[in-house]
Amino acid sequence: MPSDGPGFRGQFALGLAWRMLLLLAMLAAFAASLAAANLGAARIIAAALVVAAAIGLWNYIQRTNLEIARFVEAIRFGDMSASFARPEAGSGFEALGAALDSGIRALRDERSRMADESRFYQAIVDDLPIALLLVDPEERVEPVGKTARRMFGALSGVRVDDYAQFGAGFAQCLRGLQPGQRQLVTMTLEGGQAQRVLLRVAAVHRLGGSHRVITVQPIQEALNAVEIATQSDLVRVLTHEIMNSMTPVTSLARTAADLMADADTGKDETIADARAAVETLARRADGVMHFVESYRQISRTPQVNRQVFVAASFGDELRRLFQADWPAERIGFDLSVQPETMMLDADPDLLAQVLINLLRNGADAAETHGPEPRVAVRFEAARGGGATILVDDNGPGIPEAKRSEVFLPFFTTKAKGTGVGLSLARQIVLAHDGTIAIEQSDLGGARFRIVL
């Protein structure tokens, strides 16, 4: 490298050379004063000059060392605002200072860029629609992201065993699943609602240790949607085939009945009996066609027109609709809205259809079960702006073995039921991205829990 010019090496060498020459000159003067007699004062002055020259040389060398040490110490403690260049010092280290200052500016820029990227990736993780759980080697669990904090926010503990409140199988999976594995498990959410979730595990290294990242992806809505779509396809095919087969039967039965009516003179009993049989066949064929037509609505996806409306006034209207068919002296009706100012975000017409259907089912069950029949509707605001609607009755309830079947098309426990109402109610709730489940009611009968 070239050393001439006003660069660091030339300036430092020049400054060091004249200071050393000055020190040597002072030493020579001091030696000369020692050799001459009667120069005591000169000796003192020469000695002082030697000391001053030595101190100047030392400071010249040490000054930059101290500045470098201060600069490195500032970087070690994370102070990226430190500066090295001091043109006023005149030490010849201005080039070194400029290089170090340029380096720390580059470090500041890189640190700022990394901080921006860190905030960006943190925002992505925080807003993921899937809950993340970080499990360290000591089995401490940390929810990561808004979704995880909403899902597990009510949990006070940090150990795997504390997550057993969401289901023993869920906690067991948190402990046992290894990176690369996945598991479908049922977990119990707040309020006792069961939810099927898919767990996936990956490994990350953090602070020198290996951690497991577990994604918790609720798939109950997807399973419900697939189930509803399958049922709709099945019903659509069945009703289509049945109606295609029954249409000519119905037409021919009616034609035959009309022909026999024209031929019947009232004298031939055989023709009269045949006419009665054909008319019965025609009526039954019409009944089958009407029955099949009622099921076609199951295969139609409800069109949801969501609105935000006041829950209290909606509940009052629901009470009036119900008591038009079930007066208060016939069956009790309890309405609760908590808080009274809560709002609902749903299709009011479809939601009213669901709740009226549930209330009528509850009223039928309660009225046939015993004295003082009663139904109740409770609206509760949920965290995150959602809503929970509870429909209770004091009837005999629904056995746990049958709770998984009541939403299936064609399934009914009523003598004159069609099995359409609850299946359609479930479709409407799912179209709202909600859930509906059956529980044991505090009143002793059945409870339908709807979460929107």
Side-chain angles (χ1 to χ4, degrees):
M1 292 178 63
S3 58
D4 54 345
F8 155 67
R9 183 176 299 180
Q11 292 187 28
F12 179 74
L14 180 61
L16 182 63
W18 75 260
R19 284 176 174 80
M20 291 184 65
L21 290 174
L22 179 62
L23 177 59
L24 291 174
M26 295 301 102
L27 287 173
F30 179 69
S33 65
L34 291 176
N38 300 323
L39 292 177
R43 293 191 192 100
I44 295 174
I45 294 173
L49 292 174
V50 169
V51 171
I55 292 174
L57 179 61
W58 173 260
N59 287 339
Y60 176 72
I61 297 173
Q62 191 68 10
R63 180 168 48 202
T64 301
N65 291 339
L66 293 175
E67 183 68 15
I68 292 175
R70 181 195 66 80
F71 183 79
V72 173
E73 192 76 2
I75 295 177
R76 187 167 71 90
F77 285 104
D79 181 11
M80 293 298 170
S81 63
S83 176
F84 180 82
R86 297 195 307 171
E88 70 279 6
S91 62
F93 277 76
E94 287 79 4
L96 176 62
L100 291 176
D101 280 345
S102 176
I104 200 169
R105 280 195 300 271
L107 284 175
R108 277 200 300 267
D109 294 342
E110 181 67 16
R111 192 176 195 182
S112 177
R113 187 185 65 81
M114 292 180 65
D116 290 341
E117 287 190 359
S118 177
R119 286 190 294 268
F120 173 71
Y121 290 124
Q122 180 62 40
I124 292 177
V125 172
D126 207 36
D127 291 329
L128 277 177
I130 300 176
L132 299 180
L133 295 177
L134 185 65
V135 185
D136 68 10
E138 284 74 36
E139 291 191 347
R140 287 191 296 267
V141 184
E142 176 187 353
V144 180
K146 295 177 182 177
T147 303
R149 289 192 290 272
R150 280 196 302 267
M151 185 177 293
F152 305 104
L155 184 68
S156 58
V158 296
R159 313 294 299 187
V160 168
D161 292 336
D162 298 324
Y163 283 75
Q165 72 181 62
F166 298 99
F170 180 73
Q172 184 178 357
C173 288
L174 292 186
R175 175 177 286 112
L177 286 179
Q178 297 303 313
Q181 295 181 330
R182 63 180 181 177
Q183 180 70 43
L184 188 64
V185 66
T186 300
M187 64 180 294
T188 305
L189 300 180
E190 186 179 5
Q193 178 187 356
Q195 174 76 268
R196 299 278 283 177
V197 296
L198 180 62
L199 305 181
R200 289 190 178 94
V201 187
V204 297
H205 295 280
R206 180 188 186 190
L207 301 177
S210 180
H211 294 61
R212 289 179 298 135
V213 175
I214 302 178
T215 64
V216 184
Q217 182 178 5
I219 60 171
Q220 191 66 54
E221 292 183 7
L223 294 176
N224 291 339
V226 171
E227 181 182 346
I228 291 295
T230 303
Q231 292 174 2
S232 299
D233 291 341
L234 176 61
V235 170
R236 188 181 300 109
V237 171
L238 288 177
T239 54
H240 177 75
E241 294 300 323
I242 292 173
M243 293 190 75
N244 282 349
S245 300
M246 288 301 300
T247 297
V249 173
T250 303
S251 178
L252 289 173
R254 288 175 182 165
T255 301
D258 292 340
L259 291 174
M260 286 185 176
D262 294 337
D264 186 9
T265 61
K267 298 179 180 180
D268 192 335
E269 294 183 359
T270 302
I271 293 179
D273 292 342
R275 175 188 175 190
V278 172
E279 288 177 345
T280 301
L281 175 61
R283 287 194 299 271
R284 291 304 304 146
D286 287 337
V288 171
M289 291 290 285
H290 177 72
F291 177 78
V292 172
E293 182 64 30
S294 68
Y295 279 100
R296 299 186 75 175
Q297 60 183 307
I298 297 178
S299 63
R300 303 188 186 107
T301 302
Q303 297 299 316
V304 178
N305 181 22
R306 297 187 82 116
Q307 303 175 31
V308 178
F309 52 93
V310 180
S313 59
F314 177 77
D316 290 336
E317 182 179 352
L318 197 66
R319 185 208 303 270
R320 290 192 296 271
L321 289 172
F322 176 78
Q323 291 183 339
D325 296 327
W326 305 82
E329 59 271 12
R330 180 178 172 184
I331 187 168
F333 184 96
D334 297 328
L335 175 65
S336 173
V337 180
Q338 295 294 332
E340 295 182 357
T341 58
M342 79 171 286
M343 307 293 289
L344 290 173
D345 181 9
D347 186 320
D349 296 329
L350 291 179
L351 185 59
Q353 181 180 347
V354 171
L355 297 179
I356 285 293
N357 188 34
L358 296 179
L359 286 169
R360 286 176 175 170
N361 288 346
D364 283 335
E367 198 170 40
T368 57
H369 181 62
E372 299 183 3
R374 180 168 297 278
V375 295
V377 179
R378 185 160 74 247
F379 297 88
E380 298 177 348
R383 290 185 306 172
T388 299
I389 306 173
L390 306 177
V391 181
D392 296 81
D393 64 69
N394 62 348
I398 299 175
E400 190 169 353
K402 293 185 177 180
R403 292 178 185 175
S404 60
E405 302 175 357
V406 296
F407 295 112
L408 296 177
F410 319 130
F411 180 86
T412 181
T413 58
K414 297 180 182 180
K416 297 182 179 180
T418 62
V420 173
L422 289 179
S423 179
L424 185 59
R426 185 189 187 201
Q427 286 196 45
I428 292 174
V429 172
L430 294 179
H432 282 79
D433 297 324
T435 60
I436 182 170
I438 306 173
E439 306 169 358
Q440 182 69 28
S441 171
D442 296 338
L443 299 180
R447 165 179 289 174
F448 288 84
R449 179 186 294 271
I450 299 174
V451 180
L452 299 178

